[in-house]
Amino acid sequence: MFNLTIENFDSSKKSGKTKTTSVNVITSLENLKAVSGGRASGNYPKRRFSYTQRR
Amino acid sequence: MAFDYFGLSIGALVIWGFFMASLLHVSFYILAVNKNVQALACASILAVSYSLSDLTTPANFESFDFVIYFLYDVVTLAAIVLAKYLLFRNAQKHSCYVYCCTGLAINAVLFLAMFIDSHLLGTKEPWALWYFYSSTVNIVDLIMVSVVILNRDFLGLQLMTRKLLNEKP
């Protein structure tokens, strides 16, 4: 879903830094799925995302 | 998928709706516009219950949380029934009372089913019951918010219970 990273648009050759940022965003968004959301959310337990496991 | 984050906003919307409903009925009561004690009691009890359940459960969803939500629903249902007998025992049942009791009972059954399936039976992957629970809890909660604000029998549930229990309108 989030394959399009900031790195692809970066022409300043600081790809290492931007890649780290984009990975953090992906991890944060994926981890948000595991958040409860409360009683009225209708959510159920989801596994927490691990970037190293997906790679 | 965007649907993964949908529940987060719906959960917040439902609590906000219950608080708005209780504020609405408190102001109606104070201004003597409409002294509907049933709607006021239902909205206040639900707002307090849903807020407390969100504050007391952890942010990371675990399968054990379903039994806590189930107990919250049972206690809330008992509180609404107790409020009826203490505050408006002889009054005609309003739509908000019938819908809140039915909604809480449906939610309680679903939480118990999810607890049995995910915690006791150890199911890890979502299946039909989980999707049914997810959509039904959202729909039931939004219906409860609407009925607590509007106090209208728009699904015919009150009419049906009157016919089943042979009560006079």
Side-chain angles (χ1 to χ4, degrees), chain B:
Chain B
M1 284 171 67
F3 191 73
D4 287 323
Y5 312 105
F6 186 65
L8 301 176
S9 43
I10 286 289
L13 180 71
V14 167
I15 293 179
W16 179 83
F18 285 138
F19 269 110
M20 286 300 112
S22 53
L23 275 174
L24 178 82
H25 290 295
V26 165
S27 55
F28 278 179
Y29 191 87
I30 291 168
L31 297 169
V33 176
N34 179 16
K35 292 200 171 190
N36 190 344
V37 185
Q38 292 192 39
L40 174 61
C42 288
S44 308
I45 290 168
L46 284 169
V48 169
S49 165
Y50 273 72
S51 307
L52 275 178
S53 66
D54 275 14
L55 287 170
T56 51
T57 46
N60 298 337
F61 210 127
E62 301 293 338
S63 56
F64 186 75
D65 293 342
F66 286 120
V67 79
I68 299 170
Y69 291 152
F70 166 73
L71 291 174
Y72 264 110
D73 271 353
V74 171
V75 171
T76 313
L77 191 56
I80 289 177
V81 173
L82 188 70
K84 176 190 166 19
Y85 282 98
L86 291 176
L87 302 173
F88 44 92
R89 186 184 297 185
N90 299 320
Q92 185 73 42
K93 284 177 201 161
H94 284 207
S95 302
C96 57
Y97 176 78
V98 176
Y99 276 74
C100 286
C101 288
T102 315
L104 285 168
I106 292 168
N107 281 356
V109 169
L110 286 170
F111 285 133
L112 187 64
M114 284 299 291
F115 173 70
I116 292 168
D117 186 59
S118 63
H119 192 78
L120 299 182
L121 300 177
T123 310
K124 298 287 179 200
E125 293 300 321
W127 60 290
L129 173 71
W130 293 31
Y131 297 130
F132 177 72
Y133 147 80
S134 202
S135 45
T136 310
V137 163
N138 281 335
I139 292 165
V140 166
D141 283 330
L142 288 174
I143 288 171
M144 280 202 290
V145 170
S146 319
V147 172
V148 156
I149 293 170
L150 300 171
N151 199 16
R152 291 283 181 273
D153 183 25
F154 50 78
L155 295 179
L157 194 67
Q158 195 181 14
L159 193 72
M160 206 162 65
T161 49
R162 271 182 191 158
K163 283 190 175 178
L164 284 171
L165 300 169
N166 286 325
E167 286 179 359
K168 288 179 184 175

